[in-house]
Amino acid sequence: MRTSAASLFIAWLIHDAEEAFTFPATSRIIAARLGSSRILVTPAQSVIAIALMGLLVGGACARGIQTNGKSRLYRAVTAGLEAHVATHVLASVVLKRYTAGLVTAPFVMLPGARISRASLRRSATPLTAGDTARGAALMLSAALASHFVARLACPGSRTSS
């Protein structure tokens, strides 16, 4: 379990490094399409939000190791990160262009999550549909909360497109 939890965290770290550098540009593209600067994200806000998510993912991976994969948090984060890959692909399909995280989502994050999933299956505690539902809800709400806190930490730093 130690190896699979570490693999999941390392995959997340690599994936979110790509997101940290590219999310502000993606937010400008989306803002232009929607005609609203409300969703613009600055580089500082992006880094803060990703660091906050790192606390969640790192903590979940630590709990996964401590509980030999039985932690509901670890299971939800594993399933949530696996499902999160689809959001990157879907965003690029909808926008018909590269969006933040697209390169590492299928080639790094997905394999990292699949390693974790396989380890859970081998330990006779496979992920369930409930884990996926909890994971999707957790990761979405955590991402929104992280961006909210990042905006509070960097007020008035929005730029116009």
Side-chain angles (χ1 to χ4, degrees):
M1 192 56 59
R2 182 178 303 270
T3 301
S4 62
S7 295
L8 181 66
F9 184 71
I10 291 167
W12 174 85
L13 192 61
I14 293 166
H15 170 64
D16 274 50
E18 178 191 3
E19 284 190 322
F21 290 110
T22 60
F23 194 72
T26 296
S27 76
R28 287 191 299 274
I29 293 164
I30 295 169
R33 292 262 175 113
L34 296 176
S36 172
S37 64
R38 296 190 65 135
I39 64 160
L40 289 173
V41 176
T42 68
Q45 290 168 339
S46 182
V47 168
I48 290 168
I50 286 169
L52 292 171
M53 288 298 290
L55 294 174
L56 171 65
V57 175
C61 289
R63 286 295 298 148
I65 292 168
Q66 292 168 346
T67 64
N68 198 34
K70 292 181 175 76
S71 162
R72 286 181 72 173
L73 177 62
Y74 176 69
R75 298 169 66 77
V77 166
T78 296
L81 288 174
E82 186 177 47
H84 174 62
V85 171
T87 65
H88 287 285
V89 175
L90 183 61
S92 289
V93 167
V94 168
L95 294 174
K96 297 180 181 144
R97 62 183 305 151
Y98 168 85
T99 58
L102 179 64
V103 173
T104 55
F107 300 113
V108 178
M109 188 70 264
L110 185 59
R114 293 281 169 92
I115 288 168
S116 182
R117 176 184 280 278
S119 179
L120 290 167
R121 186 175 47 253
R122 283 191 305 276
S123 70
T125 56
L127 289 176
T128 65
D131 291 322
T132 300
R134 282 187 292 279
L138 172 65
M139 298 310 282
L140 176 60
S141 59
L144 292 172
S146 294
H147 280 282
F148 178 74
V149 170
R151 284 178 185 265
L152 291 177
C154 296
S157 57
R158 254 189 269 158
T159 59
S160 60
S161 52

